[in-house]
Each structure stands twice: as C-alpha cells, then as structure tokens.
Amino acid sequence: MTPARRSILALVALVLAVGATATWAQDFGRRRRAADISPQNIPYDGRFTFVRLRHGGAALGRGEPPWAHDYPRAERNFSRILEELTLIKPHLQDSNVFTLDDPELFAYPLAYMSEPGFWQMNEAELAGLQQYMSKGGFLIFDDFRGEHWSNFAEQVRRIIPNGQLVQLEASHPVFHSFFDINIAETQGYYGPASFHGVFEDNDPAKRLMLVANYNHDLGELWEFSDTGFVPVDLSNDAYKYGVNYVVYAMTH
C-alpha cells in the first residue's frame, strides 16, 4: 500500500469516528432481539450492494441470531470506505439480506456470511447456494474460531463435495487486488488469523470461489471502527481485506 493510500485510509477512519461518536454512545451495550432485526431490501439497480446471507440458528449472547452479528453498522461503515477508496459507487445506507435459496441472490456477485460455525442448510438452501456458486458467486465467511471450523468445513463439503479447503498463500491475487496485504502480519481478532478458500476444480490457477477468515472477525472491526472501541490499525487492516475481496470478486 502506498503512503498516500495509508493516509487516506487513516483520514477516512478519523472522519467516521467524529461523525458517529454520538450514535455509538447510544448503541453500545444495547441488546438486540431477533425480532428487532428487520432488513428492508432494496431492488437491484446495478449499483454495488452489500449482501449478507441469512442462516438459521439460536440467538447469541448479544440477543441476535448468528447471521446478524454486526448488522447493519458493519456494512454501512464498510460501504463508505469502499466508496472513498475505489471507483465503486455502492449503496451507503442500504444493504440486502437474503436466505440461501432466494433467487434474488443471483443478481449480486458476492455475499457475506457471519458466524458460519452455526450455519446449517436444508435441501432447498443447499441447492440454492450450489447454483449461486456454480454461476460465479463469491462467498466471504467471517467471524468464526476454534471448534467452529468443524461445522464450517462440513457445510462447505456439502456445497462442493469434491472441493478442497486450503490455506491461501500470501502471494494469491486476492491479497493484492487493490492493497498489497502481508497476511503474515495480520493480527486476528481471536488469535493468529488464517485465510482459507476453495478453488474451481481445486486448481489454484483458477477462480477462488470463497474465502474464509478463520480466527478473525472483519465485521466486528468494521462495525466498531468509528467508536474507539477497537484499535485503528486492526480496523484499517480489516477494511483492506474487505476492499480486496470486493475488487477480486468483481474482476474474476
């Protein structure tokens, strides 16, 4: 990353912090129930829209289901960074939430899932996600650690029966599609982070179909980047990963 881009990213983080301190003071510590999370999807209009996948499971300690962890502040903050740093013009206040079998999902090139350690699929959801990925959809899995890996890996095997989950090399283009990221220097949210994926036909020379941030939580760092609750260096790194994932997905 050039010094100019580093300065821009730090400046944007500062602007976000100044503009949202009051909101953070009101929101911090408030427990949300599943009934309070009511996404209002917007119609497809060609602009980039952050898409989150809705999957079942019990509510977590914060009083929200796993799919909604950090929603919607994470995507709103991330979309503002994406607009500031790239030529992509995303929706800033609006994002979409789809179930895994929603046909509307096919209009969007990438989708994000939080807490895949709690992810389960019925047959309709499995078929829907398989079709989405076979047509070029790119998936981002975030916010899981420790024993959560077993469930995540099992669900991936259901989607791509012959797919091999591999740890990604630092040289892979996904880490250099916009920022040059040194993954060896990345501090994970839950401990040492590692990044995993499945390649089309298990061929590293072909398209990366998904990326999984293990022992990390980009969404949490996006959500709280404007509050002073998380270190600026960590949230800036999280934004770099997010921007790179979007640029890679839009160009491969």
Side-chain angles (χ1 to χ4, degrees):
M1 181 178 69
T2 65
R5 281 194 178 142
R6 187 184 303 111
S7 298
I8 290 172
L9 196 56
L11 178 60
V12 172
L14 178 61
V15 170
L16 286 171
V18 171
T21 300
T23 302
W24 162 244
Q26 295 173 1
D27 289 347
F28 181 68
R30 182 177 298 166
R31 297 172 65 87
R32 296 190 299 175
R33 299 171 301 169
D36 297 328
I37 302 168
S38 302
Q40 300 294 321
N41 288 354
I42 57 174
Y44 177 79
D45 64 0
R47 291 176 61 187
F48 179 84
T49 306
F50 190 101
V51 169
R52 181 182 289 257
L53 294 175
R54 183 172 193 156
H55 59 96
L60 298 176
R62 269 171 51 165
E64 61 193 10
W67 70 264
H69 193 191
D70 308 314
Y71 173 85
R73 284 173 48 85
E75 39 262 67
R76 288 177 180 172
N77 286 346
F78 173 70
S79 294
R80 292 170 69 184
I81 293 291
L82 189 64
E83 182 189 48
E84 289 287 342
L85 297 180
T86 74
L87 297 178
I88 298 171
K89 300 301 179 184
H91 286 280
L92 298 181
Q93 292 298 315
D94 299 303
S95 59
N96 287 347
V97 177
F98 296 120
T99 58
L100 309 184
D101 57 348
D102 192 325
E104 294 295 323
L105 179 61
F106 289 88
Y108 302 88
L110 77 158
Y112 169 94
M113 180 184 287
S114 176
E115 297 277 4
F118 299 91
W119 167 34
Q120 297 291 326
M121 292 179 290
N122 60 35
E123 292 304 314
E125 291 171 328
L126 173 60
L129 210 52
Q130 285 178 325
Q131 292 178 37
Y132 176 73
M133 297 192 73
S134 70
K135 293 181 180 296
F138 183 77
L139 298 180
I140 302 168
F141 295 96
D142 191 40
D143 190 5
F144 70 120
R145 61 198 182 278
E147 71 280 3
H148 293 176
W149 175 268
S150 295
N151 181 70
F152 162 71
E154 179 183 350
Q155 302 308 315
V156 170
R157 283 193 294 269
R158 293 180 65 197
I159 300 171
I160 316 170
N162 297 319
Q164 297 176 9
L165 265 171
V166 297
Q167 188 164 340
L168 299 176
E169 299 288 340
S171 60
H172 189 271
V174 74
F175 302 120
H176 306 280
S177 59
F178 190 84
F179 293 103
D180 285 321
I181 301 175
N182 184 348
I183 62 176
E185 296 180 353
T186 296
Q187 180 180 343
Y189 194 77
Y190 302 112
S194 57
F195 302 89
H196 304 259
V198 176
F199 293 101
E200 187 174 8
D201 298 327
N202 294 317
D203 183 349
K206 294 187 177 181
R207 179 177 68 94
L208 181 65
M209 303 173 70
L210 63 88
V211 64
N213 313 310
Y214 181 60
N215 270 343
H216 212 347
D217 189 349
L218 303 186
E220 185 96 348
L221 293 167
W222 298 344
E223 179 184 13
F224 295 132
S225 63
D226 56 3
T227 66
F229 185 68
V230 295
V232 171
D233 287 348
L234 290 186
S235 57
N236 280 357
D237 280 347
Y239 281 128
K240 294 175 191 175
Y241 278 99
V243 170
N244 275 33
Y245 293 164
V246 170
V247 172
Y248 179 88
M250 300 289 283
T251 56
H252 289 75

